[in-house]
Amino acid sequence: ALLLEGSPLLGWAGLCCTRNERTDNGEALPESIPSAPGTLPHFIEEPDDAYIIKSNPIALRCKARPAMQIFFKCNGEWVHQNEHVSEESLDESSGLKVREVFINVTRQQVEDFHGPEDYWCQCVAWSHLGTSKSRKASVRIAYLRKNFEQDPQGREVPIEGMIVLHCRPPEGVPAAEVEWLKNEEPIDSEQDENIDTRADHNLIIRQARLSDSGNYTCMAANIVAKRRSLSATVVVYVNGGWSSWTEWSACNVRCGRGWQKRSRTCTNPAPLNGGAFCEGMSVQKITCTSLCPVDGSWEVWSEWSVCSPECEHLRIRECTAPPPRNGGKFCEGLSQESENCTDGLCILDKKPLHEIKPQSIENASDIALYSGLGAAVVAVAVLVIGVTLYRRSQSDYGVDVIDSSALTGGFQTFNFKTVRQGNSLLLNSAMQPDLTVSRTYSGPICLQDPLDKELMTESSLFNPLSDIKVKVQSSFMVSLGVSERAEYHGKNHSRTFPHGNNHSFSTMHPRNKTPYIQNLSSLPTRTELRTTGVFGHLGGRLVMPNTGVSLLIPHGAIPEENSWEIYMSINQGEPSLQSDGSEVLLSPEVTCGPPDMIVTTPFALTIPHCADVSSEHWNIHLKKRTQQGKWEEVMSVEDESTSCYCLLDPFACHVLLDSFGTYALTGEPITDCAVKQLKVAVFGCMSCNSLDYNLRVYCVDNTPCAFQEVVSDERHQGGQLLEEPKLLHFKGNTFSLQISVLDIPPFLWRIKPFTACQEVPFSRVWCSNRQPLHCAFSLERYTPTTTQLSCKICIRQLKGHEQILQVQTSILESERETITFFTQEDSTFPAQTGPKAFKIPYSIRQRICATFDTPNAKGKDWQMLAQKNSINRNLSYFATQSSPSAVILNLWEARHQHDGDLDSLACALEEIGRTHTKLSNISESQLDEADFNYSRQNGL
């Protein structure tokens, strides 16, 4: 029989309900489920709360076991059986029947329901023992209103002040989640501890920074839609602060009543973003009174004294009319006079006094003269005899390794003894060494100058070299400390720099003559590389070819109708900057001048460096040499400064300066992980002995000028670059450097004993910028028919980085392949003047500056231009300039001098200009035709 009218249940199920079902009047279901067979239904899946989006119906599901039937009851009413979709299965583990049922609920059903609570549905499941009910699942219509209850409001806050932006999102179901945007970029408060977005949807910046200026937007979203609030512009301003007072000036008058003054500037910090200017006076004056100096004056001469036995009388005067006071000058002239008082008639030994010569003085002069001549003759004789005896005693001496411990490998010490006639162990017993040279060898065999490597080959070590003395200490590892260095350009001038003295090259060709040993005294001494150019109001660029050093003179930096001859030089001699403690020289010493030249706009100086840039491991400083020759720190690269700006790139530092002088970069390693980048290269050439071939492995700072110095020296030596140079990361962990030759072809080549592996102390490598560091290896062919050489050069730091140089070359000049190691891109035109020196046309540059120098309410001004060009630090420097955008573009020009196009700048301007009306409205009529075509071709 059926139950009440409208019920979807069958009669047998109704009977079950009368026994165990939890009825509508509150009868409880059993708390536990008896084990099968005969247990109450247990819900495996119950219906979840759901939201109806727009007009899409939602499905409610439930699953139970053991269950004979499952039906939904919504808002206390049974859902018709036809609206149920049921599936039945068997649980294999328990053998119980599992039933799953779902229904659809439409938006119309929910809207038509009017009750004290939300629309809800519940599952009821039957088994043989009774019924079980699931949890109630509510069904709601999702929505999100358009208008925010509270939009964030713009703020102007001082630096380090607190910023609080309130946001109350629109009403919605489910409740909207809030996200904050800054300049259309999401804000991640987990990555910035200074920002908190968790407090009731509000944005809190605890300490405002200059970088926090921008446009902030509150974004609300739920499953239905997203809503954006009105943008709030936040401006972080800096109130100006006075610098320290200067010292009082000297009194403006030399004597009498005057004044002296002192001054201060509103640059500590400078006002920024509308901040208040400093209150008070910038100049103070006080009165001063200086005593006038009184120059001394002579009294009248006294009377002549009585005539003395020597027939002279005298008179005196004093500087007392008046005496000098208050720094006045003393009287000029003699205070005493004497003269003959007999008019030459005074007689002594029957001769007039003026004809008598003092004999004692003549005798003393003769004795001194003859004594000096005698001592000189004796000294010359002793010197000649000593040299003769020394040469005769040394003529039968040589060197020979006699310590057999050296044969066991490694680096063992050994002694030297005199050579016996016919000693077969001597490398060249037929030649006698010249011991008239004056150098000392100690330490590793790695050499500090390319010229000295010649002394370590067996053909040059025993060749006579004039004016050089070799002293070998008892150490198998031999090294040279040499100060003479080769130069490839001509005579240097102290103040003027000749035009056309640009030496550039891109490949190295060996000399035609096989012997390359030169007399060291015949090589010129290298002091510096120089270049020069004449620049005017239009500015330009001065480049030192193949060194990475350049100077950018902006347009307008030099006043109109003026021109200057500007020079730039690189010190290639002994560095004048002496390192203090752990400080290391990371760049060449670069001089630009003239020093008395004044520019109206900062110029850009680019200096290469060899540091693996990381603020965690290095503290890098910019230093300048004073007129007294001392070095002073200008700034640390990470510091904030308004006097200059440093932009550190991986291989170069771009510095904005307003005064010329000598500059260099130094670094202080903070941790052992500080890394210097070294360039390793191998050169080779034939020895004087036709069977020998010399390999020279260089480890120099990874700066173009350091490698150019090596190339210049190798040109003098007839060396050939055998492999592309590679980069070695040398850590400041005090571990030494090992260089070894591997995989030498047997039966074709052999290496001299004990020289296959050489080790260089850490300190010599870490401070290698003093002189180029290299190690020499000597290989010997078995037969002259061997013309090909292949081997590997392994350069590694103990517990550090390793590089392998693969040598594959022909020792014959005609078959040797030339390896290019310098490009020609900056060597053709060392000095460029006028518009051709700049990548951005002047008319476009003016338009950009006029656009971004003007403050913008949305923050799209010069600060965003700087940020889009990766200039995110020390923005206060640009704020002190008359045109911040022009200085930023100058820095971009210096940074991208080797780029072929304007892509990076074009992308930055495009991203900023999407919502910037003034910039996007530039048309062809506002620009020069040539500039417009150039910009269109380069995507600007």
Side-chain angles (χ1 to χ4, degrees):
L2 293 178
L3 296 181
L4 297 175
E5 183 178 357
S7 172
L9 304 180
L10 300 179
W12 62 268
L15 296 177
C16 294
C17 289
T18 59
R19 294 162 46 194
N20 296 309
E21 179 186 17
R22 184 176 61 181
T23 60
D24 292 340
N25 54 12
E27 292 181 6
L29 295 172
E31 295 181 359
S32 62
I33 302 173
S35 59
T39 181
L40 289 173
H42 169 64
F43 283 97
I44 303 174
E45 179 181 353
E46 297 184 80
D48 294 324
D49 295 338
Y51 297 94
I52 295 178
I53 302 174
K54 297 182 179 179
S55 298
N56 300 320
I58 56 97
L60 297 180
R61 297 174 178 271
C62 66
K63 181 189 296 185
R65 73 179 178 199
M68 304 301 296
Q69 289 292 341
I70 300 177
F71 287 94
F72 274 92
K73 180 186 288 186
C74 293
N75 303 318
E77 298 181 359
W78 294 104
V79 179
H80 197 275
Q81 181 179 4
N82 295 336
E83 297 179 12
H84 290 74
V85 177
S86 178
E87 295 180 358
E88 185 177 318
S89 61
L90 188 66
D91 189 347
E92 296 180 356
S93 60
S94 61
L96 299 177
K97 185 178 295 185
V98 178
R99 183 173 294 275
E100 181 179 6
V101 176
F102 69 89
I103 64 172
N104 289 329
V105 179
T106 64
R107 181 186 183 98
Q108 187 65 39
Q109 290 177 295
V110 177
E111 290 179 346
D112 292 343
F113 173 72
H114 300 285
E117 55 183 354
D118 293 332
Y119 190 97
W120 61 268
C121 292
Q122 184 181 40
C123 281
V124 180
W126 280 264
S127 71
H128 293 288
L129 296 183
T131 64
S132 295
K133 295 182 179 180
S134 69
R135 63 177 294 275
K136 290 182 178 180
S138 63
V139 180
R140 306 176 66 186
I141 299 175
Y143 67 93
L144 183 64
R145 304 202 181 278
K146 291 184 178 181
N147 297 326
F148 277 73
E149 295 184 6
Q150 183 178 3
D151 287 302
Q153 302 296 319
R155 293 282 188 276
E156 291 185 1
V157 295
I159 194 167
E160 296 186 356
M162 177 178 286
I163 303 174
V164 179
L165 297 180
H166 297 279
C167 175
R168 293 176 61 187
E171 179 186 351
V173 174
E177 296 183 357
V178 172
E179 179 185 25
W180 284 91
L181 305 179
K182 175 189 174 184
N183 298 331
E184 306 303 325
E185 298 291 337
I187 296 176
D188 189 353
S189 60
E190 295 182 356
Q191 295 182 359
D192 192 343
E193 297 179 353
N194 194 39
I195 298 177
D196 186 4
T197 58
R198 296 169 298 177
D200 196 21
H201 307 309
N202 297 328
L203 174 66
I204 300 175
I205 301 178
R206 298 182 180 89
Q207 287 187 325
R209 302 156 295 191
L210 288 175
S211 58
D212 292 325
S213 297
N215 297 321
Y216 290 84
T217 307
C218 181
M219 178 76 73
N222 65 3
I223 61 176
V224 179
K226 291 184 178 181
R227 302 284 186 256
R228 290 171 56 96
S229 70
L230 298 177
S231 293
T233 300
V234 173
V235 177
V236 180
Y237 61 86
V238 179
N239 291 325
W242 289 113
S243 64
S244 301
W245 287 103
T246 61
E247 297 294 332
W248 287 105
S249 65
C251 201
N252 68 321
V253 294
R254 187 165 178 260
C255 63
R257 185 178 179 85
W259 54 266
Q260 56 186 150
K261 66 177 182 179
R262 64 176 183 175
S263 61
R264 58 180 179 175
T265 58
C266 188
T267 57
N268 187 30
L272 187 65
N273 294 340
F277 197 78
C278 304
E279 296 182 359
M281 297 184 299
S282 62
V283 178
Q284 279 186 346
K285 289 185 179 182
I286 58 174
T287 59
C288 56
T289 302
S290 302
L291 297 176
C292 296
V294 177
D295 296 337
S297 182
W298 292 113
E299 291 277 2
V300 297
W301 287 103
S302 66
E303 296 294 332
W304 287 104
S305 67
V306 297
C307 198
S308 68
E310 289 80 14
C311 304
E312 290 184 343
H313 64 172
L314 56 86
R315 64 177 180 175
I316 62 173
R317 60 178 177 174
E318 294 181 351
C319 186
T320 57
R325 297 192 306 271
N326 305 328
K329 297 180 180 179
F330 196 80
C331 305
E332 296 182 357
L334 299 175
S335 63
Q336 178 177 317
E337 274 187 347
S338 64
E339 65 179 21
N340 189 282
C341 55
T342 61
D343 294 331
L345 300 179
C346 186
I347 301 299
L348 182 62
D349 293 338
K350 298 180 181 181
K351 290 184 179 180
L353 184 64
H354 63 275
E355 294 181 1
I356 298 175
K357 298 181 179 179
Q359 296 296 324
S360 60
I361 295 177
E362 291 184 359
N363 294 336
S365 300
D366 293 341
I367 293 173
L369 175 62
Y370 295 137
S371 298
L373 291 175
V377 172
V378 172
V380 172
V382 171
L383 181 61
V384 171
I385 294 173
V387 171
T388 303
L389 293 177
Y390 179 76
R391 293 201 176 200
R392 185 173 299 171
S393 63
Q394 298 294 326
S395 60
D396 296 328
Y397 281 75
V399 293
D400 187 14
V401 181
I402 65 171
D403 189 348
S404 61
S405 65
L407 301 176
T408 62
F411 304 104
Q412 306 292 333
T413 61
F414 66 95
N415 303 315
F416 293 89
K417 68 173 185 177
T418 59
V419 179
R420 297 182 297 273
Q421 293 295 330
N423 191 342
S424 60
L425 295 177
L426 190 60
L427 297 179
N428 194 346
S429 60
M431 303 183 66
Q432 299 299 332
D434 186 357
L435 300 179
T436 63
V437 287
S438 162
R439 294 200 179 175
T440 301
Y441 307 102
S442 64
I445 199 170
C446 295
L447 312 179
Q448 283 293 87
D449 192 281
L451 302 182
D452 297 313
K453 57 188 172 289
E454 302 170 8
L455 300 177
M456 294 311 301
T457 64
E458 61 178 82
S459 57
S460 58
L461 182 58
F462 301 102
N463 261 347
L465 295 178
S466 61
D467 302 328
I468 301 178
K469 181 164 186 173
V470 181
K471 178 181 178 183
V472 183
Q473 296 181 347
S474 60
S475 172
F476 178 69
M477 306 300 290
V478 184
S479 81
L480 306 181
V482 182
S483 61
E484 294 89 350
R485 315 190 62 180
E487 178 58 288
Y488 68 85
H489 60 74
K491 181 178 178 182
N492 295 317
H493 300 273
S494 59
R495 293 191 60 83
T496 61
F497 313 107
H499 297 282
N501 193 25
N502 174 31
H503 300 272
S504 60
F505 47 88
S506 63
T507 59
M508 178 177 293
H509 301 280
R511 298 182 303 172
N512 294 328
K513 297 181 180 181
T514 301
Y516 65 91
I517 301 296
Q518 303 185 36
N519 189 335
L520 297 180
S521 62
S522 67
L523 294 176
T525 302
R526 178 189 294 108
T527 57
E528 59 184 23
L529 292 171
R530 298 192 182 186
T531 186
T532 183
V534 178
F535 298 89
H537 182 70
L538 296 179
R541 191 191 303 270
L542 188 62
V543 178
M544 188 77 71
N546 299 321
T547 63
V549 178
S550 64
L551 182 68
L552 182 76
I553 308 296
H555 183 283
I558 301 175
E560 292 189 28
E561 301 180 357
N562 286 356
S563 63
W564 286 84
E565 183 181 19
I566 299 177
Y567 62 86
M568 187 167 58
S569 64
I570 300 176
N571 178 22
Q572 287 197 302
E574 186 70 16
S576 61
L577 197 161
Q578 302 298 326
S579 301
D580 297 332
S582 61
E583 197 172 42
V584 181
L585 185 63
L586 298 176
S587 76
E589 296 175 2
V590 179
T591 301
C592 54
D596 56 347
M597 177 180 170
I598 300 177
V599 293
T600 59
T601 302
F603 62 89
L605 178 63
T606 298
I607 306 176
H609 66 83
C610 62
D612 189 1
V613 179
S614 174
S615 58
E616 299 177 357
H617 307 308
W618 281 106
N619 188 9
I620 299 178
H621 307 273
L622 176 69
K623 291 195 172 184
K624 181 181 181 181
R625 188 172 62 191
T626 63
Q627 294 181 351
Q628 292 76 23
K630 297 182 179 180
W631 286 86
E632 296 180 348
E633 180 176 333
V634 179
M635 68 173 295
S636 174
V637 173
E638 297 298 326
D639 287 348
E640 300 281 333
S641 173
T642 57
S643 60
C644 66
Y645 186 89
C646 289
L647 179 61
L648 198 63
D649 279 345
F651 299 103
C653 182
H654 311 283
V655 190
L656 295 176
L657 300 164
D658 54 12
S659 63
F660 290 93
T662 301
Y663 296 90
L665 290 174
T666 64
E668 183 178 358
I670 301 175
T671 67
D672 289 346
C673 296
V675 172
K676 276 185 64 176
Q677 296 178 346
L678 302 180
K679 181 171 288 187
V680 293
V682 57
F683 290 79
C685 69
M686 292 291 295
S687 174
C688 291
N689 185 343
S690 61
L691 294 179
D692 287 354
Y693 191 75
N694 296 321
L695 295 177
R696 291 182 288 276
V697 182
Y698 288 84
C699 298
V700 298
D701 290 348
N702 184 35
T703 57
C705 50
F707 187 60
Q708 185 182 21
E709 184 177 349
V710 171
V711 170
S712 176
D713 291 332
E714 281 295 327
R715 292 185 71 194
H716 287 287
Q717 303 302 318
Q720 173 74 20
L721 185 65
L722 303 182
E723 171 66 354
E724 290 286 344
K726 294 186 178 181
L727 205 60
L728 180 72
H729 297 282
F730 191 80
K731 290 185 177 181
N733 56 10
T734 70
F735 287 99
S736 58
L737 186 73
Q738 282 187 351
I739 305 177
S740 55
V741 181
L742 309 173
D743 298 344
I744 300 175
F747 310 114
L748 296 177
W749 293 86
R750 65 180 176 183
I751 191 169
K752 295 299 186 289
F754 324 119
T755 62
C757 181
Q758 303 178 21
E759 187 166 340
V760 189
F762 168 82
S763 58
R764 296 283 291 278
V765 183
W766 194 247
C767 301
S768 61
N769 47 31
R770 298 292 177 186
Q771 292 175 345
L773 177 69
H774 81 279
C775 291
F777 300 89
S778 182
L779 306 180
E780 183 180 2
R781 293 181 289 172
Y782 282 95
T783 63
T785 58
T786 301
T787 61
Q788 298 294 323
L789 171 63
S790 69
C791 63
K792 294 180 180 179
I793 308 293
C794 177
I795 305 100
R796 62 182 291 266
Q797 183 186 18
L798 300 179
K799 298 186 179 181
H801 191 213
E802 177 183 75
Q803 279 290 9
I804 300 293
L805 297 178
Q806 181 70 51
V807 176
Q808 187 78 35
T809 185
S810 171
I811 64 174
L812 300 180
E813 297 181 9
S814 59
E815 300 177 3
R816 188 177 297 159
E817 180 182 357
T818 301
I819 299 178
T820 302
F821 44 80
F822 281 141
T823 61
Q824 295 288 341
E825 58 185 5
D826 61 357
S827 60
T828 306
F829 303 104
Q832 293 181 321
T833 60
K836 62 183 180 181
F838 303 96
K839 294 183 175 296
I840 306 175
Y842 182 64
S843 60
I844 295 181
R845 180 189 182 93
Q846 283 185 310
R847 186 68 177 181
I848 294 175
C849 294
T851 300
F852 289 105
D853 284 343
T854 304
N856 185 277
K858 295 184 178 181
K860 296 182 180 294
D861 51 14
W862 63 266
Q863 295 187 58
M864 183 169 288
L865 179 65
Q867 293 173 2
K868 294 301 181 182
N869 284 281
S870 302
I871 303 174
N872 301 313
R873 185 186 52 79
N874 195 12
L875 296 182
S876 58
Y877 171 82
F878 300 97
T880 61
Q881 305 298 321
S882 58
S883 176
S885 302
V887 180
I888 293 171
L889 295 180
N890 293 338
L891 193 58
W892 183 92
E893 290 273 5
R895 197 177 189 183
H896 297 83
Q897 60 175 316
H898 296 305
D899 290 354
D901 51 38
L902 302 171
D903 283 349
S904 62
L905 182 62
C907 292
L909 294 178
E910 180 183 5
E911 186 173 351
I912 300 172
R914 288 193 183 105
T915 58
H916 205 306
T917 307
K918 292 174 64 178
L919 186 64
S920 59
N921 284 342
I922 296 179
S923 64
E924 185 171 1
S925 61
Q926 295 172 310
L927 302 175
D928 296 341
E929 182 178 357
D931 289 351
F932 184 83
N933 293 333
Y934 173 85
S935 305
R936 182 170 52 191
Q937 293 170 3
N938 288 276
L940 191 56

